[in-house]
Structure formats: structure tokens, C-alpha cells
Amino acid sequence: MLNARASKALVLAWILLLSSFAFPQSNLLTAIRCGRLINPVDGSVTQNAVIIVRGDRIEQVGANLSIPGGAKVIDLSGYTVLPGLIDCHTHIMLQPEDERGAPPVVTKSQAFRTVQGVAAAKRDLEAGFTTMRDLDSEGAGFADVAVRDGINQRIIPGPRLFVSTYALTITGGHMNNAGLNPDIQIPEPATLTDSRDAMIAEIRREVKYGADWIKLYATGTLRHVDPVTLEPLSQVSLDEVKAVVAEAARWHRDVAAHAYGGDGAKNAIRGGVRSIEHGMLMDDEALKLLVEHGTFWCPTLSVYLPESAEDDTEMRRRIVAHHKEVFQKAMRLGVKICFGTDVGAFEHGTSAREFVKMVEYGMKPIEAIRSATTRAAELLRMEKQIGSIEKGKLADIIAVEGNPVDDIKALTRVTFVMKAGHVYKSPLQP
Ligand SMILES: [Zn+2]
């Protein structure tokens, strides 16, 4: 057995080794010439700006800066440059086919789901998303932690991930397999936590195995919505939410609550979650609570649009109409709206379609860009590191054809992606 000092030294060496993988040291100097540069902080658009990147950080940015000798030049003068985008609600372990038929916990091995997750992460990065908050692995266990770590160690390409492993739900609630023979046991897409103590124990387990965020199902899903009143099923009491938030805080974690509206959403907001997900059935009182508590809201507008004739029901149309109304009210009230998509339920690499919907519903393009940069960084408590192209921040930089301030669809045409100083996609390379 090792003595205490030797084992401490061993642990230290191990931590140093891990951090050298996570934060590769590089002093490589790069100069990026930008046709236009969008600054979401003040909404300005600068012509012919230059960004100087050293290693993984932005060293300097401004109009007509001179390029230091020895710098590698990346000429994006034909493009619009902006900070790497942040999607605050993703599922890398979920693929569109998983939404049809039997759940993936039944039809796919975790190994196969991980392989798909690796491919999904690459597609999302190449679409300009340099950071994502991945809101549960949909039953793929801790595979999201593995993908996050593989990305951080630069074994595979992908966005900087904040993962939440399993989600907390209740028996009979959202993400509890439905319609099955009660005599058979199959894996669940989320963890059934039917008491305050079970919720606390589950948070400890998730954090132990690598969760960065805690995901709580505060309401049920579409099948639980009352077809007449559109009232969602509330899955948690105020006391339970408070217990979840307090336990997460012990581990310096925040809580994201899936909540369509009703009492479930109000309990989540009053109980102190950091963000409400979806929220399309929230009433005026819930919106006021969001403002009062400074809670962030990820509307995920586009994922609820019917995509097949089968989905295009009267109830779905009412929900979509309500979603639009809530979104417009939330904008007027000054709710902190963050960009989130639920990508995985639809094709990875196509999250920018959400921007188009936000603008169609009345958001100014620069506000939509803020929701996926400065504001999203604030939600993640990463505002000192990411969300804008400023001296000292991580060099997360993308470029698009056209100008998204005039035409938001330009964000669907990402041609250049740099994350922490490394180029993952470029129009200048074959
Ligand atoms: Zn989701």
C-alpha cells in the first residue's frame, strides 16, 4: 500500500496529466481577417476587423490592426465573423429515428448510441455550435460524459459540452417507458425518483459520475397535456424543487427544468432552477415569475412544429400557437431568453433553424444572436470565457456567408469554425 505522501503525489501527477490533455499548451499565433465582425455585446458590426489569437485565447481584436510577424493568416474577408454559437438545449445521444417507434433504450446498444453521439457532436460543431448544454443522455447512461471528455482531450471533434447524464423524473411521468407489460423490466430513459430522498441520492450519483448540470422533469410530456385545458402534468412540488436545487448547489451545479407550464413550471421557478425548458404553455403569472426570479428560458420553438401529417393534430396546432404567443409576451416582458433547440429530436447540424423561427416570431436578429452567445454564456456562468470575441476570452470564432443581421438564414451557412484556437472547418481548406 502506498503511503499518504506517495499517493498524494500520484493523484497530483494524474491531475496534471489529465489537465494537459484538457488544455493543450500552444502559443501558435493566428490572425483572422474579417469582412464583417459582429459584436453581440453592443450590437456593432465592424468592417475589416482583425482578430489576433494566441494559443486558445483571443489576444487582440479591432479594426485595421496590423498583423504581427510570424502569425498564420486566415483570410475571412469575404465572410461575416461572429462568436461561436451556444445551444443551451441539446441531446447528442438522441437521433431523429429515436423519436419514432420504440425508444432507443430498447432498440440500440449504448455502444452504438455512443458512436452516433460522436458523429452528432461533430455535425453540431461544424454547424457553428462551439458550446452546448446537453440536457440528458435519454437513457444512454454516462455516454455523454465520455463524449465530453473525448472532446476535451481532443480525441474526437465536438462542441465544448456541459452534460447532465440522466434526468430526474417520476413513475408514470415523462421519460418513463409507457404502455408496457408491467411484468417486464427494461432500462428507463430517465431515473425514477419518487421522493425527495430519491432525488437527492440520484443527484449525488450523477455528479459522482460526471454530470455538469442537473436535469429535472418538472412537468410531463405531450401525452400528459390535458387535451381540453392544455394543462400539463405537474411532476414536482415546490419543496421537492427546493431540495433538488439545494442538493445541486452543494456540488456547485445548476438545475434545468423541463416544464411546459402550469404548477410544475411555477414550482420550478419559485424553487430556484436556473432555466425553464420549453415553457410553451406558461401563463402570464409564470412569465412574471421568470422575470422576478431572473430565471432563463429556453423556448425550443422549432421542435414542436409538426413534421408529419400524423403530428399535425388540432392539439399540436393549439400548442404551437400558444408557444408563439408566450414567446412574444416573454420578449415584451424582458424574460432572459436563451437559444435552445432540442436537437437530436431533429437532425444534428441543423440547429440554426431555431434562429429563423425566433426572428419569424418577432425577435430582432441581433437579439437572436445574443440569445446564443452573450446570454447563453451567462446561463452557463461562462460569460468570462465565451460568448463574445474579446481580449482574453477563448477563441471560439465562426464565419458565415452573408450577413445574419440582415438575413438570419445566413446562420444556416456556417463556413468556418474555430474552437479554443483550433480550426475545425474552413472554406480555405479542401
Ligand atoms: Zn430535450
Side-chain angles (χ1 to χ4, degrees):
M1 202 178 170
L2 290 168
N3 65 35
R5 187 186 284 178
S7 61
K8 213 171 171 181
L10 205 67
V11 168
L12 195 66
W14 182 237
I15 289 169
L16 283 173
L17 186 73
L18 283 178
S19 60
S20 72
F21 278 127
F23 308 104
Q25 299 299 309
S26 154
N27 266 324
L28 203 73
L29 198 60
T30 309
I32 302 171
R33 289 185 190 279
C34 314
R36 286 184 208 95
L37 176 66
I38 296 177
N39 180 358
V41 177
D42 60 7
S44 63
V45 181
T46 308
Q47 305 288 330
N48 302 319
V50 172
I51 307 165
I52 311 290
V53 174
R54 187 183 294 274
D56 61 354
R57 300 269 162 183
I58 294 157
E59 193 169 79
Q60 248 186 310
V61 54
N64 305 312
L65 280 183
S66 57
I67 291 176
K72 181 188 168 212
V73 177
I74 298 175
D75 187 4
L76 298 175
S77 49
Y79 300 90
T80 302
V81 174
L82 62 158
L85 302 171
I86 304 166
D87 189 336
C88 301
H89 189 131
T90 69
H91 299 281
I92 51 162
M93 290 302 153
L94 187 70
Q95 315 305 326
E97 72 268 17
D98 299 335
E99 294 284 274
R100 302 184 283 267
V105 286
V106 176
T107 59
K108 293 176 179 173
S109 69
Q110 286 212 6
F112 184 71
R113 295 188 69 190
T114 309
V115 170
Q116 288 193 306
V118 168
K122 180 172 186 281
R123 286 204 293 276
D124 291 331
L125 176 66
E126 288 175 353
F129 292 88
T130 48
T131 302
M132 302 197 314
R133 184 178 59 150
D134 203 67
L135 285 184
D136 89 53
S137 70
E138 306 253 340
F142 295 92
D144 52 353
V145 173
V147 173
R148 176 199 68 194
D149 293 351
I151 291 168
N152 288 346
Q153 294 175 28
R154 298 197 60 223
I155 299 168
I156 53 168
R160 182 178 299 106
L161 292 180
F162 294 90
V163 302
S164 48
T165 73
Y166 286 91
L168 277 59
T169 191
I170 59 170
T171 299
H174 189 17
M175 303 296 261
N176 179 200
N177 294 312
L180 295 172
N181 174 352
D183 299 323
I184 57 169
Q185 293 287 320
I186 63 166
E188 292 293 345
T191 306
L192 307 180
T193 53
D194 287 319
S195 69
R196 200 174 160 278
D197 288 352
M199 290 173 176
I200 290 170
E202 175 60 9
I203 291 168
R204 292 176 187 171
R205 184 178 82 100
E206 291 178 6
V207 172
K208 178 182 175 187
Y209 294 113
D212 303 302
W213 271 76
I214 301 304
K215 168 87 179 278
L216 173 69
Y217 282 104
T219 72
T221 186
L222 293 175
R223 75 169 190 274
H224 298 108
V225 174
D226 185 298
V228 178
T229 62
L230 294 187
E231 181 75 12
L233 171 76
S234 172
Q235 294 199 172
V236 284
S237 68
L238 177 58
D239 277 353
E240 284 165 339
V241 177
K242 282 184 175 167
V244 164
V245 169
E247 185 59 28
R250 178 213 296 280
W251 306 101
H252 308 290
R253 299 300 194 276
D254 286 305
V255 180
H258 161 112
Y260 286 174
D263 287 344
K266 288 172 197 169
N267 289 343
I269 302 166
R270 289 194 175 107
V273 303
R274 192 154 174 88
S275 69
I276 290 289
E277 308 303 308
H278 318 303
M280 66 279 206
L281 300 173
M282 287 188 293
D283 59 16
D284 293 355
E285 191 191 357
L287 286 172
K288 272 186 211 136
L289 283 172
L290 285 176
V291 176
E292 245 173 74
H293 290 260
T295 313
F296 294 82
W297 178 39
C298 289
T300 67
L301 299 172
S302 58
V303 77
Y304 290 99
L305 302 174
E307 287 193 15
S308 64
E310 201 184 30
D311 286 346
D312 194 10
T313 58
E314 168 68 24
M315 182 165 147
R316 187 68 83 89
R317 270 181 253 151
R318 283 173 65 204
I319 287 173
V320 169
H322 207 285
H323 210 168
K324 180 179 178 180
E325 212 176 284
V326 173
F327 183 75
Q328 292 174 339
K329 277 186 195 163
M331 275 193 293
R332 284 198 293 275
L333 287 170
V335 171
K336 294 195 279 190
I337 299 175
C338 279
F339 183 91
T341 62
D342 231 342
V343 68
F346 59 92
E347 282 300 329
H348 285 280
T350 67
S351 292
R353 69 183 211 174
E354 181 77 8
F355 288 114
V356 179
K357 211 66 208 164
M358 290 166 108
V359 171
E360 190 191 310
Y361 284 1
M363 188 176 254
K364 287 195 185 110
I366 189 67
E367 280 302 320
I369 292 169
R370 277 187 184 126
S371 79
T373 54
T374 45
R375 175 153 292 145
E378 195 192 332
L379 163 64
L380 296 171
R381 302 186 195 274
M382 286 286 287
E383 64 271 26
K384 292 206 173 98
Q385 305 290 326
I386 57 173
S388 61
I389 298 174
E390 289 180 285
K391 188 181 169 178
K393 285 195 172 178
L394 285 165
D396 289 0
I397 297 165
I398 66 163
V400 299
E401 286 171 26
N403 182 357
V405 174
D406 294 338
D407 174 18
I408 199 70
K409 286 201 181 87
L411 292 178
T412 64
R413 299 188 295 269
V414 170
T415 55
F416 174 84
V417 179
M418 173 185 270
K419 191 191 87 184
H422 291 279
V423 176
Y424 290 90
K425 185 180 187 180
S426 173
L428 313 169
Q429 289 161 3

